[in-house]
Amino acid sequence: MNEQLPSLRDLQSSLHGQARSAGAFYLLVVVTGTFSLGLTPERLFVGDTPEALAASIAAQDWLLRVSILAEATCYVAFGCLALALHALLRPVHRGAAAGMAMLVLISVPFGFSNLAALVEIQRIVESGAALTSAEAMADAYARYRAGHFLQSAPWGLWLLPFGYLALRSGFMPRLLGIGLILAGAGYIAHFAARLLVDGYRESIWPDIFAAPRTAEILMAFWLFAFGARRSLWRARPAADQS
């Protein structure tokens, strides 16, 4: 019995460190993603015509550059998060952890490919041809927006196995696990409704589907602040090898 106690303490300490590392990556994703995907577009991409859009971007070239850097950082951190969470949650359920990581890693190169549209816009601005190339900039921005819409599918899908693993883990709050599943379902519902339902974007449903995404922010803070909190430690089920 005395020989087993240090082993259990070592396991708990290792799990705690892994969880906090995953939380650090998750927080980086939240901060850089909120800035580049949430706050920046509302200020930078303004205008009802290609010319107005081009003028707005050209007047804030510094913000465009910082946003590109932040979004690239977000995707790198997202990939690292997938690997960190896979290492942390693989003992809970091997298949679910692999599926979760796969869905994230699929979206990362997709994100960088989509980001190329912003780099194209930045090069036009840097050349001083923003106003004369307003149509080209508007087309590039439209591709960027369309790419984000397509990315919303894997962004939602990866949260389903993650929420399931959180529920089974024994060291993450079950309420946040449920929230992650609802957030994932909200992403997927938003993706399907945008394609299939006329007038969807003018309804209240986009806000309703987006509401559970708060669980992602709370989970990031939880993992970073508490890790695999010892007070929540429960006997974990044997690793599912399926």
Side-chain angles (χ1 to χ4, degrees):
M1 178 66 69
N2 292 333
E3 294 181 356
Q4 294 178 353
L5 289 176
S7 175
L8 179 59
R9 285 195 297 268
D10 289 345
L11 175 61
Q12 291 175 337
S13 177
S14 174
L15 194 68
H16 184 71
Q18 285 182 317
R20 294 200 68 185
S21 296
F25 285 123
Y26 212 163
L27 276 180
L28 186 56
V29 170
V30 168
V31 171
T32 55
T34 299
F35 174 76
S36 61
L37 304 176
L39 300 178
T40 299
E42 295 180 357
R43 177 173 177 178
L44 181 61
F45 302 110
V46 179
D48 297 328
T49 65
E51 291 74 18
L53 178 66
S56 176
I57 297 171
Q60 304 178 86
D61 181 43
W62 64 274
L63 182 57
L64 176 61
R65 294 169 185 262
V66 173
S67 181
I68 291 172
L69 177 61
E71 191 169 343
T73 302
C74 178
Y75 295 139
V76 172
F78 199 25
C80 293
L81 172 63
L83 299 178
L85 286 176
H86 180 264
L88 176 67
L89 296 171
R90 184 174 180 271
V92 178
H93 191 289
R94 180 180 297 179
M100 172 193 67
M102 179 188 67
L103 287 166
V104 173
L105 295 176
I106 285 174
S107 74
V108 170
F110 190 9
F112 274 104
S113 176
N114 185 43
L115 193 56
L118 285 193
V119 175
E120 178 183 342
I121 291 173
Q122 195 277 323
R123 287 179 175 175
I124 294 174
V125 173
E126 188 177 28
S127 71
L131 296 182
T132 58
S133 303
E135 291 288 347
M137 292 176 66
D139 288 344
Y141 179 56
R143 294 198 304 273
Y144 176 71
R145 290 285 302 274
H148 275 172
F149 169 64
L150 293 176
Q151 277 181 283
S152 65
W155 283 346
L157 288 171
W158 88 280
L159 291 172
L160 301 181
F162 183 24
Y164 167 75
L165 290 165
L167 286 172
R168 288 196 55 181
S169 68
F171 55 84
M172 294 180 186
R174 294 179 64 86
L175 185 60
L176 291 185
I178 295 171
L180 292 174
I181 293 173
L182 292 176
Y187 270 109
I188 296 167
H190 173 75
F191 179 81
R194 277 278 304 272
L195 290 173
L196 302 176
V197 179
D198 293 336
Y200 164 75
R201 297 178 67 177
E202 290 73 36
S203 70
I204 64 170
W205 287 104
D207 292 333
I208 293 175
F209 290 145
R213 297 176 194 174
T214 306
E216 286 197 83
I217 300 174
L218 295 176
M219 179 62 83
F221 276 102
W222 173 273
L223 289 172
F224 182 72
F226 301 111
R229 190 172 182 179
R230 191 167 299 181
S231 63
L232 294 179
W233 182 271
R234 298 196 296 266
R236 292 172 59 177
D240 190 333
Q241 304 299 317
S242 60

